[in-house]
Amino acid sequence: MHLSGALLALTFLVPPAWALDAYGAAPAGDPTADVPPFMIFLAALLACVTFHVMVQIPSGLLGSWLGRNRGALVSYAFALTVAGTLTLAFLWGVLRVGNIAELTDLWVDFMARGSLALAGYVGLTSLWARPSRPA
């Protein structure tokens, strides 16, 4: 899981669209700005950690368990299916994103980042857990 968390954190080097929108919303010298610029970075970091714990770890474990002995692509497909469902449930149920356009944008952003990290995790677990052949 450390590999997938590190890969997920690296995907946040390209900032999400919502962070770029929030960063450009107020002028730099405006003392009445609602959110200081470092809070946007902190929100992106919190989003990364929350997504990793609530979506990526369960979907990686469940996907590799459901796809065991079936190959890496099947495990990856299971992991992506679980991740897509958990991401949708998290965005809609926990964060209360009600606007369909905003929900779709956030879901696509998190799934694009998560799919890269899950590919690294499932690839590593499929290499690691190769069954040994009897002599």
Side-chain angles (χ1 to χ4, degrees), residues 26-103:
D30 187 7
T32 62
D34 292 339
V35 178
F38 77 89
M39 289 300 289
I40 298 167
F41 172 74
L42 201 60
L45 183 64
L46 182 65
C48 176
V49 169
T50 304
F51 182 78
H52 181 64
V53 170
M54 302 217 31
V55 173
Q56 194 176 15
I57 290 174
S59 63
L61 292 174
L62 192 58
S64 61
W65 180 71
L66 289 172
R68 69 187 181 279
N69 300 328
R70 292 187 183 132
L73 288 178
V74 174
S75 294
Y76 185 61
F78 277 124
L80 282 182
T81 304
V82 172
T85 306
L86 287 176
T87 302
L88 187 62
F90 177 73
L91 290 173
W92 182 69
V94 176
L95 295 182
R96 303 280 188 212
V97 178
N99 185 359
I100 296 298
E102 185 180 358
L103 179 71

Side-chain angles (χ1 to χ4, degrees), residues 101-129:
E102 185 180 358
L103 179 71
T104 304
D105 288 344
L106 286 172
W107 185 84
V108 167
D109 181 58
F110 277 112
M111 285 305 298
R113 294 171 192 281
S115 65
L116 294 172
L118 280 173
Y121 173 74
V122 170
L124 185 67
T125 57
S126 68
L127 290 175
W128 185 326

